[in-house]
Amino acid sequence: MTRHSRIRTGWTAGAVLAMALISGCEGLEGGTPAPADGGAAAPAAGPAVSPLSNPDGTGPGLAPVTGDGPRKTARRLIEDLATKGRGPKTGYDRDEFGYAWMDSADGVPLARNGCDTRNDLLQRDGQDVRFRSGSDCVVVAMTLDDPYTGTTIEFRKQDASEVQIDHVVPLSYSWQMGSSRWTEGKRRQLANDPLNLIPVQGRANSAKSDSGPASWLPPAKPVRCAYAVRFAQVAAKYELAVTAPDRQAMLRQCGG
């Protein structure tokens, strides 16, 4: 079976793991060994799924969180986050998190599968994906339903900046909230973890910069609670605090 056929295989384990992420995740400092086949397989690209049923980030997109029960679960997840003030950015450099889109970050899904993180994510969320001749990795064209703007983007590699991969919890934000004291291995995990990565419209990603939810939310209002959930899932998994205004903004998006 090729690497591409593995990454497109269906995935069904998210619901089983959902509550585990609600209470956080321990033991990330040393990293979890990656499975021998290079990590958990992602599903075939298709309709976006709710972050509450996609706790490892291998499912595509970011579907709205709707209904009283799911939104209550979302608020519990957000309420459990620790808060503190945002520290200085002194010493921050993207290279502190490894080179961009490395395939060798241990302990995260899709690592060491022979394809860099960016192309893994384009395959995960894109539809009608086309590859460079002779490759089952490099995406040269696809259709993306951008969750942040609610628009459909016809991506072509010659206009690569039209689609960017957003770090939901920005790396510089994490640095100011404590990742400056992590091991390099744990920072590499955060930078390449599918849970923290979403292909989106380049202009929206640039507008977000390193903002937290109190300063920036997706323009598409229906997805804002889902975005808050994903931000909280990443913070909980990596035991990161958020600022009090960010937590309050996240709660408001989910009816809190």
Side-chain angles (χ1 to χ4, degrees):
M1 182 180 291
T2 66
R3 189 206 60 77
H4 173 51
S5 63
R6 287 199 304 272
I7 197 172
R8 312 287 282 191
T9 301
W11 173 86
T12 60
V16 176
L17 297 174
M19 295 308 297
L21 276 183
I22 290 173
S23 60
C25 181
E26 299 179 353
L28 280 168
E29 192 66 31
T32 303
D37 65 355
V49 297
S50 165
L52 290 173
S53 59
N54 182 28
D56 67 357
T58 57
L62 194 66
V65 174
T66 59
D68 291 342
R71 290 171 75 87
K72 183 177 180 180
T73 298
R75 291 193 297 272
R76 285 201 304 267
L77 170 61
I78 296 165
E79 287 166 352
D80 284 345
L81 297 176
T83 62
K84 70 175 186 178
R86 193 163 172 167
K89 201 173 177 179
T90 306
Y92 169 75
D93 190 284
R94 174 63 177 82
D95 289 345
E96 295 290 339
F97 295 79
Y99 64 85
W101 312 132
M102 61 193 310
D103 186 39
S104 56
D106 291 325
V108 293
L110 311 183
R112 300 184 184 277
N113 65 357
C115 190
D116 64 87
T117 304
R118 174 179 167 84
N119 280 293
D120 279 338
L121 272 292
L122 295 179
Q123 290 185 54
R124 185 196 68 183
D125 287 15
Q127 299 183 62
D128 300 321
V129 174
R130 283 181 278 167
F131 297 90
R132 176 184 293 167
S133 177
S135 172
D136 62 359
C137 170
V138 180
V139 177
V140 297
M142 67 171 195
T143 300
L144 177 71
D145 291 329
D146 171 32
Y148 284 4
T149 64
T151 61
T152 297
I153 300 171
E154 298 298 333
F155 169 78
R156 299 295 180 268
K157 190 170 177 59
Q158 58 265 34
D159 298 315
S161 63
E162 188 175 7
V163 170
Q164 298 177 12
I165 310 297
D166 178 44
H167 286 96
V168 178
V169 174
L171 301 185
S172 59
Y173 181 101
S174 81
W175 185 266
Q176 294 174 277
M177 301 306 288
S179 72
S180 59
R181 298 185 295 275
W182 293 356
T183 64
E184 184 179 2
K186 186 175 178 180
R187 287 198 293 267
R188 288 180 175 183
Q189 288 177 10
L190 179 68
N192 293 278
D193 191 338
L195 184 67
N196 194 32
L197 299 170
I198 302 178
V200 298
Q201 183 197 75
R203 292 190 302 278
N205 187 49
S206 297
K208 173 184 171 178
S209 185
D210 64 352
S211 299
S215 302
W216 186 92
L217 290 165
K221 292 182 179 180
V223 82
R224 287 180 176 178
C225 178
Y227 176 79
V229 168
R230 179 51 54 82
F231 201 102
Q233 286 175 319
V234 176
K237 178 176 180 179
Y238 287 88
E239 299 176 317
L240 272 172
V242 299
T243 69
D246 284 336
R247 187 173 71 172
Q248 194 56 46
M250 294 157 71
L251 284 170
R252 284 197 299 270
Q253 306 316 309
C254 297

